[in-house]
Amino acid sequence: MNHDAIIFDIDDTLYNSTRLSISARENAIEAMIDAGLPVDRETGTELLAGVIQRLGANSNRHFDELLEAVGVPPSSRLIAAGIVAYHNTKPVYLRPFEETIPTLLRLRDLGYRLGVITNGMAVKQWEKLIRLGIQHFFHAAIVSETAGMEKPDPEIFTVCCEQLQVEPAVSVYVGNDPHTDVFGANRVGMLSIRMRKGKHADVEPKDDAYRAVHDIHRLGDLLELIDAGVIGLPSAAEPQP
Amino acid sequence: MNHDAIIFDIDDTLYNSTRLSISARENAIEAMIDAGLPVDRETGTELLAGVIQRLGANSNRHFDELLEAVGVPPSSRLIAAGIVAYHNTKPVYLRPFEETIPTLLRLRDLGYRLGVITNGMAVKQWEKLIRLGIQHFFHAAIVSETAGMEKPDPEIFTVCCEQLQVEPAVSVYVGNDPHTDVFGANRVGMLSIRMRKGKHADVEPKDDAYRAVHDIHRLGDLLELIDAGVIGLPSAAEPQP
């Protein structure tokens, strides 16, 4: 059969999001200590992890609440130190996996429609596509905040397919999270591919609904799945009858 | 006479704020056009300047309102493109003047107490001190947002002097804006030094209240004013009776 579209998750699928988070938090804590936060590095890192778990990754009050957790009064200096260090980490670690750009280019050459479906804040997720240098690669990009729904809602997958003008049944979805990416793609009948990266890498699916058709460990593996016929070529790329 | 403290403005006094603003806006417009903003560079730059003038420099809605001015619907992608380009400009242009750090070090060596008084948002102004690499140089730093008052309010100058444990009469203030820096310092009896940099560089004082005791063109000129006895040495640095 043919596959006309390949749609991607961003974090830990197109770049090493886990490494960025760890580095950014470490750098922020070190900078805040340098600016006067009275805490050792290990305690600071633990307290920050607790704050992020409690507020969620998309809050903008992580550093404010870290100060509270450490027991110091609000300080713009300390917060600025954390923010600057956090931002300075991005040019270093918000980089594509080494196979991301070559693989995306090859998939476009082969005639696939390419898409992105990502959960998160719209400006932050677009920032990632821009900093990764891949904002122009996709024929559609859906961010949950803008769409008003998030993975694994089947609707966010079908909205992306509509924008790509393809059916879910001839679409491939590549993501690293069995509970949002794989489960969601399976529900709408897409070919699910699980990237074994990041914090979910070793999580085993609790049942078939969370099991991908194929697991991969690098984005370049997609090209092998195409060679093996697991992912079909685009219908437009084949000789028409 | 002695002078015990030298207090500084930040923007266009310790670094080239005007150049940073111009570059950051240019880069933001180019990135937004690259991301799809349907406007030419010149028109985009003009519209953005108008938005910044209308909302003030400290709004966080510049890019949102730029889209409105161009007549396109809200777009996280376009806004993210502007924000990323803006942030990417900072490591390049948020750098001290070449004489800033050597001069500050020399002034500390001579025994002066050093301070900062700056108008602006607390986190943004601290970000500047941190990125400039000078956050540890000052014995006191007052940001208007935190202080709840701004230059030229005499109170913000006296609060800084209190923190430095010096009297205004034995303090020097160095800033580039005749209406906030010079006028404010003159009102509390500090020795006012005007740095002729940035957008106010060519503004002539409307009367003596806005006229600095001395104008300088580079921070290193302070050392010459000390050699000439215009700025006195710190009392602690001289032989005690």
Side-chain angles (χ1 to χ4, degrees), chain B residues 43-196:
Chain B
T43 311
T45 304
E46 263 173 42
L47 289 173
L48 181 58
V51 167
I52 293 170
Q53 182 143 36
R54 187 156 47 77
L55 299 184
N58 288 325
S59 166
N60 57 8
R61 292 197 36 86
H62 293 156
F63 297 138
D64 305 74
E65 302 238 345
L66 173 63
L67 298 194
E68 261 190 63
V70 173
V72 300
S75 158
S76 297
R77 175 182 187 168
L78 294 177
I79 290 168
I83 291 173
V84 169
Y86 188 89
H87 283 303
N88 281 349
T89 311
K90 288 181 189 170
V92 184
Y93 290 116
L94 193 36
R95 311 294 311 163
F97 285 124
E98 61 274 22
E99 296 192 344
T100 296
I101 288 178
T103 303
L104 293 176
L105 286 173
R106 179 74 186 132
L107 295 176
R108 281 182 68 108
D109 288 347
L110 289 171
Y112 293 101
R113 308 273 293 162
L114 300 187
V116 157
I117 304 173
T118 178
N119 284 354
M121 290 167 67
V123 169
K124 285 184 72 170
Q125 297 311 97
W126 272 107
E127 175 182 358
K128 291 171 189 171
L129 293 177
I130 293 164
R131 285 193 187 266
L132 293 171
I134 56 177
Q135 63 158 319
H136 293 296
F137 284 48
F138 301 98
H139 302 92
I142 312 289
V143 184
S144 63
E145 186 193 29
T146 309
M149 49 191 153
E150 61 178 32
K151 298 180 288 187
D153 185 340
E155 182 81 0
I156 199 168
F157 292 88
T158 54
V159 162
C160 187
C161 288
E162 278 162 25
Q163 288 197 15
L164 292 173
Q165 298 177 286
V166 297
E167 293 298 320
V170 296
S171 302
V172 178
Y173 190 79
V174 186
N176 73 306
D177 185 339
H179 299 97
T180 57
D181 295 315
V182 175
F183 179 64
N186 283 345
R187 280 170 86 183
V188 295
M190 299 168 90
L191 177 69
S192 56
I193 308 276
R194 177 171 168 191
M195 174 71 102
R196 287 274 192 170

Side-chain angles (χ1 to χ4, degrees), chain A residues 32-76:
Chain A
M32 293 174 85
I33 291 171
D34 177 54
L37 187 70
V39 76
D40 64 75
R41 200 180 301 195
E42 197 171 63
T43 311
T45 305
E46 263 173 43
L47 289 174
L48 181 59
V51 166
I52 294 170
Q53 181 142 37
R54 188 157 45 79
L55 299 184
N58 289 325
S59 166
N60 59 8
R61 293 199 32 89
H62 293 157
F63 296 137
D64 304 75
E65 302 237 345
L66 174 62
L67 298 194
E68 262 189 62
V70 173
V72 299
S75 158
S76 297

Side-chain angles (χ1 to χ4, degrees), chain A residues 30 154 185 216 224:
Chain A
E30 282 181 28
I216 61 176
E224 290 168 25

Side-chain angles (χ1 to χ4, degrees), chain A residues 89-198:
Chain A
T89 312
K90 289 180 188 171
V92 185
Y93 290 115
L94 193 37
R95 311 293 312 163
F97 285 125
E98 61 275 22
E99 296 192 344
T100 296
I101 289 178
T103 303
L104 293 176
L105 286 172
R106 180 73 185 133
L107 296 176
R108 281 183 68 109
D109 288 347
L110 289 169
Y112 292 101
R113 306 275 291 164
L114 300 187
V116 157
I117 304 173
T118 179
N119 285 355
M121 290 167 66
V123 169
K124 284 185 72 168
Q125 297 310 97
W126 272 108
E127 175 183 358
K128 291 170 189 171
L129 293 177
I130 292 164
R131 284 193 186 265
L132 293 170
I134 56 178
Q135 62 158 319
H136 293 296
F137 284 49
F138 302 97
H139 303 93
I142 313 288
V143 184
S144 63
E145 186 192 31
T146 309
M149 50 192 152
E150 60 177 32
K151 299 180 288 186
D153 185 341
E155 183 80 1
I156 199 169
F157 292 87
T158 55
V159 163
C160 187
C161 288
E162 278 162 24
Q163 288 196 15
L164 293 172
Q165 298 177 288
V166 298
E167 293 297 321
V170 297
S171 302
V172 178
Y173 189 79
V174 186
N176 74 307
D177 184 340
H179 299 98
T180 56
D181 295 316
V182 175
F183 178 64
N186 283 345
R187 281 169 88 184
V188 295
M190 299 168 92
L191 177 69
S192 57
I193 309 276
R194 177 173 168 189
M195 174 71 101
R196 288 275 191 168
K197 296 266 195 195

